[in-house]
C-alpha cells in the first residue's frame, strides 16, 4: 500500500481506537463521576447502559445508511456528533445530561463505525491488501480498549471530566484528517434494472465515497421498525442479568421486540426498496460468521467480566491494578496484524477461526479451578492464550462476514456483524450474571468468600460452553473453500462488546460494588 492508503487506514483505525478508549476510560471513571455528582446507583448504571442501547439499537440502520446515503457523508457527520456529545458529557453537572450524552454518543458510534468498516472494504483491493487492512483495524480496536483502561485510570486522577475531553481532542484531529483523506464520490445516475433483477440488488459502487443510488426513496417504515426492535431487544437482553426480578418487564420488552421484528420482515418483503435485502441472510458463510462472532465475543467478555469481579471483589485489587493486569489480553493488538495474516494466507480463514475457538476453550477451561489465592503467574497462561485466541478468531471472522456480499451492501454486512456482536456480548454478560446469581442465592455470597468463589466458578462455565458451541459451528466452514478468501469484511469492534460490559448495572451482582473496572477489557 502507498503512503496515502496507509494514511487513510490510520484515520479509520483511529476511529475505532477512539471508540475503544472512550468506553474504557468511562468504565474506570464512573465511581468518581458518581461520587462527584452524587448520582444514585440506578442513574450511574444508566450512564453506562445508555451507550449500549444507542449503539445496539441503531447499528443495523447505521450500516445500511452508509450504503444508501454515502459512506464519507455518514462517517464525517457522525464523527462530528460523537465529538460534540463527548464534549457535552465533560460539562455535565447532572445525571440526566450524562445519560443523554452517552445515548447520542452510542448512536453516533452505530453510524460511524459501520461507515468506517465499509470504507475499508471498498477502499482497499480485494485479497491480501484488504485482509491486512481489516486485521490491522481489528488489532487497533483491541489495543484501544486495553490502553484506555490504563489511560482512564491516569486521567481520572487529574479529574473525571478529562475522560470526556480527551476523546474530543482525538476526534477533532481525526475529523480534520478524514476530511482531507476520504475522497468524494460523484453521484452517478441509477443504472437501469432488468425486469428480473432482485429488488435492492443494485450495481456495486466504484469507490469509497458516495454510492450510486439504488432507490429514489428511503425505507422509512423499515428503518423505524428496525431501530425500535433493536432498542427493545437490547433492553431485554440487558435486563436478563436481573433474573426473575422484574421478569414481566423483561418479557414484555422481548415480546415487543419480537413483534416488531416480524413487522420489519413483512415490511422488507413488500417494499420495492428495502432497507435490508433479506436475501443476504441466505448466504451461509455470512450467517455462520455472524453467529460465530456472537458466541466468541460473548464468551470473551463474559469471561473478562467474571475475571475482573474475582480480582476486585475477592482479591481486593484496585481498578488500576486490574487494568494493568489485563493489558496482556491486548496481545491481539500485536498478533492480529502480524501473525494472523500469515496464517490466513496459508490455511484460509475457516481453519484459523476454528483454531481460535479451540484455543479459547483451552484458555477458559484452564481458569475453571481458580483458587482463592492464585498468583498472577497462575493466571497468566489463561490470559495470554485468551488474547491469542482473540487474535486468531476475531480478525478472520471479520473477513468471513461478507464473503460473497456485493460492495454495494458492505455497510449492511458491517451493520449485521456489529448487531450480532453487540447482542453476543450482552448475552454473555447477562448469562454469567444470571448463573452467578443462581449459584450464590441463599449462600450469602457477598459475605462468604468461599461461596463467592464457588459462584464465580459456576459462572465461568458459561464462556466455556459458548466457545465450545462456536467451535462446533465454525467446523462446518472447514473444507468449504480451497483457498483463502479474497473478500474483506467489516469488523465488529471489540469495544462494541466492551460497552455492554460497561453497561452492567453496579448492583447487578450481589456483593459487587459500583466499581466499573470489573467490567473487563479487550
Amino acid at each position: 500500500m502507498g503512503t496515502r492508503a496507509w494514511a487513510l487506514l490510520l484515520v479509520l483505525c483511529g476511529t475505532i481506537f477512539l471508540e475503544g478508549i472512550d468506553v474504557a476510560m468511562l468504565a474506570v471513571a464512573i465511581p468518581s463521576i458518581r461520587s462527584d455528582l452524587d448520582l444514585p446507583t440506578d442513574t450511574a448504571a444508566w450512564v453506562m447502559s445508555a451507550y449500549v442501547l444507542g449503539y445496539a439499537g441503531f447499528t443495523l440502520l447505521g450500516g445500511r445508511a452508509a450504503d444508501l446515503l454515502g459512506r464519507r457523508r455518514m462517517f464525517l457527520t457522525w464523527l462530528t456528533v460523537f465529538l460534540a456529545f463527548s464534549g457535552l458529557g465533560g460539562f455535565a453537572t447532572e445525571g440526566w445530561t450524562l445519560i443523554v450524552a452517552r445515548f447520542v454518543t452510542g448512536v453516533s458510534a452505530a453510524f460511524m463505525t459501520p461507515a468506517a468498516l465499509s470504507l475499508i472494504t471498498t477502499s482497499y483491493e480485494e485479497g491480501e491488501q484488504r485482509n491486512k487492512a481489516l486485521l490491522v483495524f481489528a488489532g487497533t480496536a483491541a489495543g484501544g480498549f486495553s490502553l484506555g483502561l490504563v489511560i482512564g485510570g491516569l486521567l481520572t486522577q487529574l479529574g473525571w471530566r478529562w475522560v470526556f475531553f480527551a476523546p474530543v481532542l482525538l476526534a477533532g484531529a481525526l475529523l480534520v484528517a478524514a476530511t482531507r483523506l476520504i475522497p468524494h464520490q460523484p453521484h452517478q445516475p441509477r443504472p437501469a434494472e432488468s425486469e428480473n433483477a432482485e429488488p435492492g440488488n443494485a450495481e456495486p459502487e466504484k469507490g469509497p465515497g458516495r454510492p450510486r443510488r439504488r432507490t429514489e426513496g428511503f425505507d422509512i417504515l423499515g428503518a423505524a421498525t428496525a431501530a425500535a426492535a433493536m432498542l427493545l431487544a437490547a433492553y431485554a437482553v440487558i435486563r436478563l442479568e436481573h433474573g426473575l426480578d422484574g421478569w414481566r418487564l423483561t418479557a414484555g420488552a422481548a415480546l415487543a421486540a419480537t413483534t416488531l421484528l416480524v413487522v420489519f420482515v413483512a415490511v422488507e418483503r413488500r417494499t420495492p426498496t428495502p432497507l435490508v435485502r433479506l436475501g443476504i441472510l441466505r448466504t451461509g458463510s455470512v450467517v455462520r460468521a455472524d453467529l460465530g462472532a456472537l458466541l466468541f465475543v460473548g464468551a470473551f467478555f463474559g469471561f473478562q467480566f467474571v475475571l475482573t469481579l474475582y480480582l476486585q471483589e475477592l482479591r481486593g485489587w484496585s481498578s488500576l491494578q486490574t487494568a494493568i493486569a489485563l493489558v496482556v489480553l491486548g496481545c491481539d493488538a500485536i498478533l492480529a496484524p502480524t501473525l494472523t495474516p500469515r496464517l490466513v494466507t496459508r490455511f484460509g480463514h475457516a481453519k484459523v477461526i476454528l483454531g481460535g475457538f479451540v484455543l479459547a476453550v483451552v484458555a477458559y477451561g484452564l481458569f475453571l479451578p481458580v483458587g482463592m489465592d492464585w498468583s498472577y503467574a497462575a493466571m497468566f497462561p489463561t490470559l495470554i492464550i485468551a488474547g491469542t485466541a482473540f487474535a486468531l478468531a476475531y480478525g478472520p471472522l471479520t473477513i468471513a462476514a461478507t464473503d460473497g456480499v456485493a460492495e454495494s451492501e458492505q455497510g449492511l454486512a458491517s451493520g449485521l456483524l456489529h448487531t450480532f456482536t453487540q447482542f453476543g456480548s450482552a448475552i454473555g454478560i447477562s448469562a454469567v450474571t444470571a448463573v452467578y446469581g443462581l449459584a450464590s442465592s441463599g449462600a450469602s455470597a457477598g459475605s462468604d468468600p468461599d461461596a463467592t468463589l464457588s459462584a464465580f466458578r459456576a459462572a465461568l462455565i458459561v464462556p466455556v460452553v459458548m466457545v465450545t458451541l462456536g467451535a462446533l459451528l465454525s467446523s462446518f466452514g472447514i473444507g468449504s473453500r480451497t483457498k483463502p478468501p479474497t473478500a474483506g469484511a467489516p469488523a465488529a469492534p471489540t469495544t462494541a462488546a466492551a460497552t455492554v460490559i460497561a453497561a452492567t448495572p453496579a448492583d447487578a451482582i450481589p456483593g459487587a460494588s459500583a466499581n466499573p473496572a470489573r467490567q473487563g477489557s479487550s
Side-chain angles (χ1 to χ4, degrees):
M1 289 190 291
T3 302
R4 187 176 181 85
W6 273 111
L8 175 61
L9 181 59
L10 181 62
V11 170
L12 297 175
C13 287
T15 304
I16 200 66
F17 183 85
L18 166 67
E19 188 200 354
I21 63 169
D22 175 77
V23 171
M25 290 192 301
L26 184 62
V28 174
I30 198 66
S32 298
I33 297 173
R34 180 183 179 186
S35 175
D36 187 37
L37 299 184
D38 194 25
L39 302 179
T41 299
D42 58 346
T43 300
W46 271 107
V47 170
M48 310 303 294
S49 299
Y51 185 95
V52 181
L53 289 175
Y55 204 136
F58 290 89
T59 299
L60 183 60
L61 177 59
R64 200 60 186 130
D67 290 331
L68 298 177
L69 304 179
R71 292 169 183 135
R72 185 181 191 274
R73 177 192 296 172
M74 290 294 99
F75 181 83
L76 296 177
T77 298
W78 290 100
L79 178 58
T80 302
V81 176
F82 189 100
L83 181 157
F85 279 84
S86 184
L88 175 63
F91 289 109
T93 57
E94 296 184 22
W96 70 267
T97 310
L98 281 174
I99 292 173
V100 171
R102 293 307 294 169
F103 178 79
V104 178
T105 303
V107 173
S108 66
F111 282 83
M112 176 180 70
T113 307
L117 266 297
S118 57
L119 278 168
I120 287 182
T121 59
T122 55
S123 297
Y124 298 89
E125 185 180 354
E126 255 186 341
E128 184 177 352
Q129 185 183 92
R130 184 184 295 179
N131 292 347
K132 184 174 182 179
L134 289 169
L135 293 171
V136 170
F137 191 91
T140 305
F145 194 80
S146 299
L147 291 176
L149 288 171
V150 179
I151 295 172
L154 296 175
L155 287 179
T156 303
Q157 301 299 314
L158 300 177
W160 63 264
R161 295 184 187 277
W162 279 104
V163 167
F164 290 89
F165 294 145
V168 170
L169 299 176
L170 178 56
L174 290 173
L175 184 61
V176 171
T179 302
R180 294 174 175 271
L181 290 171
I182 301 176
H184 292 273
Q185 178 72 12
H187 171 64
Q188 300 180 29
R190 182 166 60 100
E193 297 177 355
S194 66
E195 294 181 1
N196 299 324
E198 183 177 359
N201 203 12
E203 180 180 335
E205 65 179 270
K206 303 301 182 182
R210 187 175 180 180
R212 296 181 178 184
R213 293 185 183 277
R214 58 165 215 175
T215 176
E216 297 300 331
F218 189 76
D219 183 12
I220 300 296
L221 182 58
T225 53
M230 293 299 102
L231 279 168
L232 286 167
Y235 179 68
V237 170
I238 290 173
R239 282 198 54 82
L240 287 176
E241 64 195 24
H242 297 292
L244 296 178
D245 184 21
W247 67 268
R248 288 185 178 85
L249 180 57
T250 304
L255 179 61
T258 303
T259 302
L260 283 171
L261 282 174
V262 172
V263 173
F264 172 72
V265 171
V267 170
E268 299 307 278
R269 288 175 65 89
R270 287 168 173 76
T271 181
T273 56
L275 179 73
V276 175
R277 184 178 63 84
L278 299 179
I280 194 174
L281 298 178
R282 292 195 292 268
T283 306
S285 60
V286 171
V287 175
R288 187 165 52 245
D290 288 344
L291 290 174
L294 181 151
L295 291 168
F296 188 86
V297 172
F300 186 78
F301 290 106
F303 167 73
Q304 288 190 67
F305 180 77
V306 178
L307 174 59
T308 49
L309 275 177
Y310 164 77
L311 292 177
Q312 293 196 54
E313 299 300 327
L314 275 181
R315 304 300 298 275
W317 291 23
S318 69
S319 59
L320 186 58
Q321 286 176 313
T322 302
I324 293 174
L326 297 182
V327 164
V328 66
L329 285 167
C331 66
D332 62 321
I334 298 174
L335 297 177
T338 55
L339 173 64
T340 307
R342 298 179 183 179
L343 295 177
V344 170
T345 300
R346 181 169 181 179
F347 300 107
H349 63 254
K351 291 181 180 179
V352 178
I353 290 170
L354 179 59
F357 272 107
V358 171
L359 279 183
V361 173
V362 173
Y364 305 149
L366 286 175
F367 211 78
L368 285 175
V370 60
M372 189 71 69
D373 56 353
W374 268 25
S375 65
Y376 185 70
M379 306 176 209
F380 188 80
T382 287
L383 300 179
I384 193 67
I385 295 174
T388 303
F390 201 96
L392 295 184
Y394 177 64
L397 279 169
T398 70
I399 296 171
T402 55
D403 194 16
V405 177
E407 283 193 15
S408 60
E409 294 185 325
Q410 288 292 320
L412 171 60
S414 174
L416 284 171
L417 186 57
H418 280 254
T419 300
F420 272 82
T421 53
Q422 279 287 319
F423 283 99
S425 54
I427 290 170
I429 298 301
S430 298
V432 297
T433 303
V435 170
Y436 177 92
L438 290 173
S440 61
S441 60
S444 301
S447 58
D448 185 351
D450 290 329
T452 302
L453 179 61
S454 179
F456 284 159
R457 287 172 177 168
L460 285 168
I461 296 174
V462 172
V464 174
V465 171
M466 292 184 75
V467 289
T468 300
L469 291 175
L472 293 174
L473 176 66
S474 63
S475 67
F476 288 103
I478 300 298
S480 61
R481 295 186 180 275
T482 59
K483 63 181 181 178
T486 58
T494 309
T495 55
T499 59
V500 180
I501 297 176
T504 305
D507 56 352
I509 293 182
S513 70
N515 193 336
R518 63 184 175 83
Q519 295 159 351
S521 71
S522 60

